Amino acid sequence: MSTTIGVIGSGQMGGGIAQVAAVSGSSVIVYDAFPGAIEKCKGVHKKSLGKFVEKGKMTQADADAALARVRYVSTLEELKGSNWVIEAIVEDAKVKKDLFAKLAAMFPADDVVLATNTSSISITEIATAAGTSAHRVVGMHFFNPVPLMQLVEVIPGLQTSKDVVERTVALATKMGKTPLKANDRAGFISNRVLMPMINEAFYAWMEGVAEPEAIDGIMKLGCNFPMGPLRLADFIGLDTCVHIMNVLAEGLNNDRYRACPLLKQLVTAGRLGDKSGRGVFEYPAK
Ligand code: NAI
């Protein structure tokens, strides 16, 4: 049976997931609750695929065929016919749980996988909201920007069936990604290891160990990081970094994961990183 992937949320992540799925040959139905977002997503797809063609990484015919496989819709009901769903809406546990309760009812067939791209919320908690469908809920954690980043972290919840995990690994591979498994603990692997490192960079800055440029320069030149931890924090969003540290502190029950006071203070001042034009560094063009 051919795969029709229903993507919910057409923002940075959902849009990217839809694009990669279409390029890999799947039919895609992408839905967003906000009509403006769907229009924007269409434009982003055209532009992004155009860049691949320009760089000689894809033919115009393949780009056109990928675009023709995507249907953009503005109601949840229009996702019917999908045999795989990937959710990439706002990172809010209540909103996601309400959605998964609806999805379980809307897709009663036992072979429809209900995947979430959450970066921090417990898969077990989201799966519980799907009731008797909990075994077909799985974490499918893509990275930003999706068309370029290689990894998909595959996270089974406590209830997820082995078959669903195997099928998720297979789909991620078909999408041209490298799937790696992590268990359902706060932050999974990526954020559990990355975020405390970023947080520590803020502590080092706060304590006057070095200035931001030097902290980032040392980590780039000395550890071969493509981007320093403070620059990366600006890219992710300082508010998101605080949110993830809070999830780690609570989920792992340990104060050592508390967000650095300086990081929290920058968020209070509205310095959120690239998206607000200033975080640790300044981005006047944004
Ligand atoms: P975004 O804000 O760019 O996109 C979210 C989209 O979902 C928006 O277009 C919004 O209109 C739509 N939306 C919100 N509530 C909805 C609902 N109830 N029904 C339908 N559509 C709804 O956010 P982004 O960055 O794409 O994040 C989406 C998810 O992916 C979040 O769970 C986030 O934690 C996760 N994630 C984000 C990464 C990142 O670097 N931005 C990386 C990996 C995961």
Side-chain angles (χ1 to χ4, degrees):
M1 186 172 56
S2 69
T3 317
T4 299
I5 302 180
V7 178
I8 308 182
S10 70
Q12 285 194 88
M13 296 305 293
I17 294 166
Q19 178 178 323
V20 168
V23 168
S24 72
S26 295
S27 300
V28 177
I29 309 175
V30 53
Y31 155 68
D32 200 289
F34 300 89
I38 275 288
E39 280 311 310
K40 189 171 167 202
C41 177
K42 259 190 216 177
V44 171
H45 283 170
K46 278 201 186 118
K47 197 168 162 197
S48 170
L49 289 170
K51 274 194 200 154
F52 279 101
V53 173
E54 240 173 69
K55 290 183 182 161
K57 293 188 172 163
M58 187 184 278
T59 64
Q60 187 65 52
D62 284 347
D64 291 345
L67 274 179
R69 280 191 285 272
V70 185
R71 200 146 64 81
Y72 302 88
V73 302
S74 54
T75 64
L76 192 60
E77 288 63 39
E78 288 170 278
L79 286 180
K80 281 225 162 108
S82 308
N83 47 27
W84 196 293
V85 177
I86 305 177
E87 167 276 315
I89 65 167
V90 60
E91 185 76 346
D92 178 309
K94 182 173 179 324
V95 180
K96 285 202 198 281
K97 287 195 283 185
D98 286 351
L99 177 64
F100 274 77
K102 266 193 212 159
L103 292 176
M106 205 177 137
F107 297 96
D110 202 46
D111 58 350
V112 178
V113 173
L114 307 174
T116 171
N117 183 52
T118 180
S119 40
S120 63
I121 299 166
S122 155
I123 307 302
T124 305
E125 188 183 341
I126 295 174
T128 302
T132 53
S133 296
H135 61 285
R136 52 195 178 98
V137 174
V138 66
M140 202 174 180
H141 186 200
F142 290 82
F143 288 75
N144 189 17
V146 183
L148 301 182
M149 296 292 282
Q150 193 57 39
L151 176 66
V152 175
E153 217 174 6
V154 174
I155 309 123
L158 211 58
Q159 314 94 321
T160 312
S161 75
K162 209 168 154 248
D163 172 60
V164 163
V165 176
E166 280 165 11
R167 287 174 58 207
T168 306
V169 165
L171 181 70
T173 307
K174 183 184 170 230
M175 289 169 84
K177 302 296 182 195
T178 303
L180 291 172
K181 280 190 261 176
N183 285 328
D184 186 25
R185 290 281 180 282
F188 317 131
I189 287 295
S190 48
N191 280 322
R192 178 161 180 174
V193 176
L194 174 68
M195 268 313 148
M197 194 262 301
I198 287 178
N199 202 42
E200 203 57 35
F202 279 93
Y203 269 112
W205 178 24
M206 185 176 81
E207 291 166 10
V209 182
E211 289 302 311
E213 290 77 6
I215 294 172
D216 274 12
I218 287 165
M219 297 309 287
K220 277 163 67 180
L221 299 176
C223 301
N224 221 8
F225 285 11
M227 205 186 246
L230 296 174
R231 175 69 194 93
L232 181 56
D234 275 353
F235 180 69
I236 294 169
L238 302 193
D239 50 341
T240 304
C241 294
V242 170
H243 171 76
I244 295 172
M245 288 308 292
N246 290 342
V247 169
L248 292 178
E250 192 177 320
L252 301 171
N253 235 347
N254 194 325
D255 273 358
R256 77 171 193 223
Y257 295 106
R258 280 166 61 152
C260 170
L262 176 57
L263 170 60
K264 290 201 286 192
Q265 202 175 28
L266 291 170
V267 172
T268 306
R271 287 171 59 175
L272 306 181
D274 295 36
K275 61 186 164 191
S276 71
R278 191 174 182 203
V280 177
F281 303 105
E282 291 193 34
Y283 310 93
K286 299 187 180 180

